[in-house]
Amino acid sequence: MLFRSLVSTFAFGLLLTATQPVSADWRQFRGSDSSAVALDSKLPAEWVDGDKPQNIAWKLKLPGRGLGSPIVVNGRVFVTCSSGFAQDRLHVLCFDAAKGQKLWERQFWATGRTMTHPKTCTAASSPCSDGQRIFALFSSNDIVCLDLDGNLQWFRGITHDFPNCSNSLGMASSPIVIGDTLIAQTENDADSFANGLDVYTGESRWKRTRPKRASWTSPSPLKDSVSGETLALLQSSAGVEAVKPQTGEVVWTYKSGAATIPSLTVSEGLAYVPSNGLTVLQTEAGKSEPKQLWNVAKLGPATPTPLVLGKKAYVLGGAGVLACANVEDGQTAWQLRLEGPFTASPVATADRLYFVSETGVCQVVQIGGEKGEVVGKSELTLGKNEPADLIQSTPAIDGNALFIRSDAFLWKIAETK
Amino acid sequence: MPRSTIRVVLIAILLIPPLNCFAADTATLVLAIKAVGREGRGNREANQAVVELSQQDVSALPAVLRGFRDANPLAANYLRGAVEAIADRTLKAGKPLPKESLEKLIRDVEQDPRGRRLAYELLVRVDNSAPDRIIPDLLLDPSPEFRRDAVARLIVSGEKLLKDKAEDDAKAAFKKALSGATDDDQVKTIAKQLKGLKEEIDLQKHFGFLTSWRVVGPFDNEGLKGFDITYPPEEKLDFAAKYEGQKGEVAWDKVATDHEYGIVNIAKQIAPHKGAAMYLTTEFHSSAARVVEFRLGTPNAWKIWVNGKLLFGRDEYHRGMAIDQYRVRGELKPGANTILLKLCQNEQKDDWAQRYEFQLRVADLSGLGLPSQPAQTTSQK
């Protein structure tokens, strides 16, 4: 009897697995591998917000401000916010991805400085996860580690420990996890450094001094084509350092400078760096500097991070002009003007790019042909005739759903018919 | 408590059956958490303790909330995490929170403001009459968050009275609100309403801005090197002395500001020096020895000394300026206290990089402005 019951449970489990879309997770800024690409996802090209929503599965009011991306882990959406007159109350929220139901919320007090430019706030960085834990870094340089059920695991106050590690305009770099090391860049004009923290304890495995200049870029994991290891790429005004995540040991250094706002992106062992336009780097065996494959001055990105998909690199320039370039040589294949302004970085499925403007205009660009084409344009709103509040957050993709957060709301976009 | 002792205690806790040892457990776990320090020191013990504490029964809440006393900012967040986990689990199980204990703790101003505030937030979740009952009594509370709530209610009340043409009562409500207000948005709202009621507010005095200074400079800061150079005023304050400055001999002068937010504008009031370092000093009289916060706003690099002791310095230029941008804790002695500020300007030529200014006030640890005793005369009429 017991055996029969077990078999039927197992069979039902298999059936569920077969019929439900596979949830791939989106565990950090621009996805689990920092590529911003979800190849298997199918997302709607258009949706309608408002009284009679279409393709909007749910929409939630958040308890505070924020521009960090949502992340998705095991069917749960995690978002950070900050609130209070001084934006010194830090929130971490967990929602059921399917229904939008709030599962838990935890709040903390900022221990570092919370002053920022008015356009940003203390919840500027995207949280990240190793699949077991959530790591939330705030502009106050507080790092909170919780398990997926909201139980506090550890807390670090980087500015509390190093009081000159701050930026009066605000910090925004998003941490990443490689193996069991959390990598957080807290770079600024005064006490500037990057940290590799033990995910289990929050203790520093390494602390590396970085250029004394503010940087809002995020680290990226590079699957190194030479060693096969995953390296952490740290970008700054001085260039890029590739370090071993466990030790912080430098593998190579690129010294020709780089942007301090748009982050580099990685694809197939190559780093696409916003440096003197766009510069493509590759680890070179036995060398302390990477090999430069090409550089194109006119491919300099504005705020959004470039995206590489297949044989094309997509770069959003300052005037809202999207450039599509060949990854072999950086030559522009086509250009397309989009309706901006943009702070959020684009995300992609196999054949579409998704752009969300600061005013809530979402444009879907079909790719794969000789030219890019806008195949969907939708607006997110706060209500009737009221445009969305400021959107600076990069969307997240999980399964066949797109998650977008504004300063005050979180939307799940998915086919609802 | 030594780390080894904490480890032994925690191991002992794990070995003891959970029944009838609840009170000791809570206290020990709270203690382990409160031992957490800078750069991850005590993290492992605190991590283990917070996981254990989060599993405690709801009856542990008052003890954990009382544990906030003397907790450093890191420990306070650990404790908060445990409290929220206990409360969430309790409410999800349909069990009550200890309302009476929570309210008693909220009203006990000897308890830590963070613990009291957290107790209030828990109470509000289960008792929606709590704000009306509690908040009006907390206008001058040590907790800025309680004060903000109380001020907000008085602003609403004043605006309603104003709408009802009860101007005298409205004025009284706004003046009462101002007595507890430290957040600038609330102060601005109140000042605007009072101005409309023909009541002028001395914001310099309200916030406690220091407005009269002695100043000397410029000294050389080209290439940003002057920030780390010890010029003579850092070694000795001699107001009769003359020094070799960036562009020749310099001597002490006086500068005062009538800006309502106490901004001393060196670029406009003295000269738009570039690549320069200026020193400014003033005295603050305290009736007793006490710990205060020196609250500074400036877009320039700076260092601050109080009674000859360097409290803090920051080598950052043109990343914005705001009231209370920097909060530096320091000690005052009874009588006259000498405050020395070094303010550095870089050589950027951009329009937005020409500001050379600061505002400084002395406040208690909750942000209430402290007047110099005897009160420094404000320059506002």
Side-chain angles (χ1 to χ4, degrees):
Chain A
M1 190 67 177
L2 178 64
F3 177 72
R4 216 191 218 178
S5 168
L6 282 173
V7 168
S8 82
T9 305
F10 180 62
F12 183 60
L14 279 181
L15 183 66
L16 274 182
T17 309
T19 54
Q20 289 190 334
V22 176
S23 178
D25 283 359
W26 188 274
R27 293 184 180 176
Q28 56 199 27
F29 174 60
R30 303 183 67 251
S32 301
D33 61 357
S34 297
S35 70
V37 177
L39 285 176
D40 297 333
S41 295
K42 302 288 179 197
L43 303 175
E46 289 187 304
W47 50 87
V48 178
D49 199 2
D51 294 339
K52 294 179 181 174
Q54 291 174 26
N55 290 344
I56 293 185
W58 47 257
K59 174 180 176 182
L60 299 168
K61 178 90 170 74
L62 297 170
R65 298 187 58 199
L67 54 148
S69 299
I71 60 168
V72 189
V73 185
N74 293 347
R76 294 178 170 196
V77 185
F78 299 87
V79 179
T80 58
C81 301
S82 57
S83 66
F85 169 68
Q87 291 290 300
D88 53 0
R89 187 61 74 90
L90 315 176
H91 305 246
V92 182
L93 295 109
C94 173
F95 300 97
D96 171 61
K99 296 176 181 171
Q101 178 193 2
K102 185 167 93 175
L103 299 178
W104 52 261
E105 176 181 358
R106 293 287 178 268
Q107 295 186 27
F108 301 91
W109 292 286
T111 70
R113 296 178 57 224
T114 58
M115 177 184 169
T116 66
H117 186 280
K119 195 174 173 181
T120 177
C121 67
T122 315
S125 306
S126 305
C128 65
S129 174
D130 62 357
Q132 306 294 319
R133 302 162 194 82
I134 301 299
F135 309 96
L137 168 67
F138 293 86
S139 177
S140 55
N141 291 326
D142 291 301
I143 307 178
V144 180
C145 173
L146 299 151
D147 71 14
L148 301 187
D149 293 323
N151 295 305
L152 181 66
Q153 304 298 294
W154 51 262
F155 186 99
R156 283 291 304 272
I158 301 296
T159 301
H160 176 269
D161 296 352
F162 303 94
N164 243 326
C165 180
S166 72
N167 183 340
S168 295
L169 289 176
M171 316 280 282
S173 178
S174 299
I176 58 171
V177 185
I178 301 179
D180 58 3
T181 304
L182 176 73
I183 292 142
Q185 285 180 256
T186 49
E187 302 188 6
N188 62 93
D189 294 341
D191 192 3
S192 186
F193 53 85
N195 248 311
L197 304 177
D198 181 333
V199 296
Y200 306 107
T201 65
E203 291 172 333
S204 293
R205 287 200 165 121
W206 52 267
K207 177 172 174 271
R208 184 163 180 74
T209 300
R210 301 281 295 154
K212 267 183 67 168
R213 184 164 168 201
S215 176
W216 295 270
T217 62
S218 299
S220 293
L222 176 74
K223 185 79 173 168
D224 185 27
S225 53
V226 172
S227 66
E229 289 180 84
T230 300
L231 305 175
L233 300 187
L234 309 178
Q235 179 182 336
S236 73
S237 60
V240 180
E241 280 184 337
V243 303
K244 293 187 175 180
Q246 273 275 341
T247 61
E249 179 192 343
V250 176
V251 177
W252 55 253
T253 306
Y254 168 74
K255 299 174 182 170
S256 299
T260 56
I261 295 178
S263 299
L264 61 83
T265 192
V266 290
S267 178
E268 297 188 9
L270 305 182
Y272 294 75
V273 184
S275 166
N276 308 311
L278 192 68
T279 300
V280 181
L281 305 176
Q282 183 179 33
T283 304
E284 198 160 15
K287 300 275 181 72
S288 59
E289 290 189 27
K291 183 179 180 184
Q292 180 175 313
L293 301 183
W294 52 260
N295 163 261
V296 175
K298 66 181 180 182
L299 278 180
T303 299
T305 294
L307 186 149
V308 176
L309 179 52
K311 297 294 179 188
K312 304 290 184 196
Y314 301 92
V315 181
L316 198 51
V321 175
L322 171 65
C324 170
N326 300 320
V327 295
E328 291 88 358
D329 54 11
Q331 293 306 302
T332 299
W334 50 261
Q335 289 186 314
L336 182 67
R337 185 176 292 277
L338 299 174
E339 186 179 332
F342 295 100
T343 293
S345 299
V347 295
T349 58
D351 57 356
R352 287 174 176 171
L353 303 175
Y354 286 75
F355 296 87
V356 183
S357 80
E358 289 185 359
T359 57
V361 177
C362 308
Q363 293 154 94
V364 180
V365 176
Q366 188 77 33
I367 53 175
E370 288 190 4
K371 288 184 176 179
E373 182 190 358
V374 176
V375 292
K377 186 174 173 183
S378 314
E379 288 187 36
L380 295 170
T381 67
L382 293 189
K384 205 171 187 179
N385 300 323
E386 193 181 354
D389 55 333
L390 188 63
I391 298 181
Q392 300 176 89
S393 161
T394 297
I397 302 174
D398 182 62
N400 292 332
L402 181 70
F403 297 89
I404 301 174
R405 82 83 63 89
S406 69
D407 216 20
F409 284 87
L410 175 65
W411 288 263
K412 178 184 177 182
I413 313 290
E415 199 82 45
T416 52
K417 287 174 188 170
Chain B
M1 177 180 280
R3 226 190 253 189
S4 57
T5 311
I6 296 168
R7 280 204 191 99
V8 170
V9 170
L10 286 172
I11 291 166
I13 291 163
L14 290 174
L15 297 174
I16 297 169
L19 294 174
N20 301 324
C21 58
F22 166 74
D25 280 358
T26 304
T28 310
L29 293 170
V30 167
L31 215 54
I33 286 172
K34 287 169 81 169
V36 74
R38 292 180 186 273
E39 299 182 48
R41 282 191 286 276
N43 252 39
R44 289 178 187 233
E45 292 82 357
N47 299 350
Q48 190 176 343
V50 76
V51 169
E52 296 234 356
L53 197 59
S54 300
Q55 299 304 316
Q56 294 271 5
D57 183 78
V58 67
S59 54
L61 277 184
V64 182
L65 289 163
R66 284 195 296 274
F68 277 77
R69 281 182 80 167
D70 306 322
N72 70 41
L74 306 174
N77 276 306
Y78 272 94
L79 293 173
R80 183 177 183 113
V83 167
E84 289 192 342
I86 293 169
D88 263 15
R89 198 178 60 251
T90 304
L91 292 173
K92 277 180 185 165
K95 294 179 183 171
L97 296 181
K99 289 200 277 190
E100 282 185 17
S101 301
L102 292 174
E103 185 153 347
K104 190 177 170 192
L105 201 138
I106 294 163
R107 292 186 182 280
D108 181 0
V109 292
E110 295 299 312
Q111 297 298 326
D112 184 276
R114 297 163 298 184
R116 292 173 56 228
R117 181 68 190 189
L118 180 52
Y120 172 75
E121 288 167 11
L122 296 182
L123 184 61
V124 168
R125 288 170 73 173
V126 293
D127 180 357
N128 58 18
S129 67
D132 288 345
R133 192 170 65 247
I134 294 171
I135 294 298
D137 298 337
L138 304 180
L139 180 64
L140 299 176
D141 196 85
S143 158
E145 290 180 302
F146 279 137
R147 285 209 311 270
R148 183 176 176 83
D149 287 352
V151 169
R153 293 170 78 95
L154 285 165
I155 290 173
V156 170
S157 167
E159 287 170 345
K160 186 173 182 305
L161 289 163
L162 208 54
K163 203 174 172 185
D164 295 340
K165 310 286 184 198
E167 292 194 355
D168 287 347
D169 291 341
K171 191 186 287 187
F174 288 127
K175 286 176 84 169
K176 189 177 176 186
L178 187 65
S179 68
T182 47
D183 290 343
D184 190 35
D185 61 333
Q186 290 188 324
V187 172
K188 277 196 169 84
T189 300
I190 296 164
K192 186 180 174 187
Q193 293 287 16
L194 286 172
K195 194 173 181 183
L197 291 164
K198 311 288 185 221
E199 185 82 22
E200 288 298 323
I201 303 301
D202 185 340
L203 292 176
Q204 285 188 350
K205 187 177 172 186
H206 175 77
F207 282 112
F209 288 115
L210 305 179
T211 56
S212 296
W213 296 80
R214 287 178 183 269
V215 59
V216 67
F219 294 91
D220 189 19
N221 186 38
E222 287 182 9
L224 308 180
K225 291 173 183 164
F227 181 80
D228 289 322
I229 294 175
T230 303
Y231 289 112
E234 293 182 31
E235 296 179 317
K236 184 184 177 186
L237 287 179
D238 177 0
F239 299 127
K242 293 186 171 154
Y243 311 110
E244 186 58 38
Q246 184 185 36
K247 297 167 186 168
E249 193 174 74
V250 294
W252 287 96
D253 200 352
K254 290 182 179 176
V255 63
T257 177
D258 59 3
H259 189 282
E260 61 180 357
Y261 277 80
I263 293 175
V264 178
N265 192 327
I266 291 172
K268 285 187 180 170
Q269 292 179 254
I270 301 173
H273 296 301
K274 300 297 291 181
M278 303 287 283
Y279 289 91
L280 299 109
T281 185
T282 193
E283 280 194 348
F284 185 90
H285 292 258
S286 177
S287 57
R290 65 183 301 182
V291 176
V292 298
E293 281 187 351
F294 298 91
R295 296 192 170 200
L296 174 71
T298 180
N300 306 105
W302 56 277
K303 288 184 180 179
I304 189 170
W305 293 259
V306 173
N307 298 326
K309 181 184 175 188
L310 177 65
L311 295 186
F312 201 73
R314 180 156 177 83
D315 192 9
E316 178 187 72
Y317 295 87
H318 304 298
R319 299 297 191 190
M321 172 177 172
I323 183 173
D324 296 349
Q325 181 175 357
Y326 301 104
R327 293 163 54 175
V328 181
R329 202 165 279 202
E331 289 180 18
L332 292 177
K333 64 183 183 185
N337 293 267
T338 302
I339 299 170
L340 175 67
L341 188 66
K342 180 180 189 177
L343 207 65
C344 298
Q345 173 66 303
N346 66 5
E347 297 158 86
Q348 273 180 270
K349 292 177 180 170
D350 316 73
D351 289 347
W352 50 266
Q354 301 311 307
R355 297 172 75 185
Y356 196 9
E357 58 192 350
F358 75 97
Q359 57 184 175
L360 180 68
R361 70 190 189 102
V362 181
D364 72 10
L365 301 186
S366 79
L368 284 170
L370 295 174
S372 182
Q373 302 285 347
Q376 196 180 50
T377 309
T378 72
S379 58
Q380 283 200 307
K381 303 289 183 287

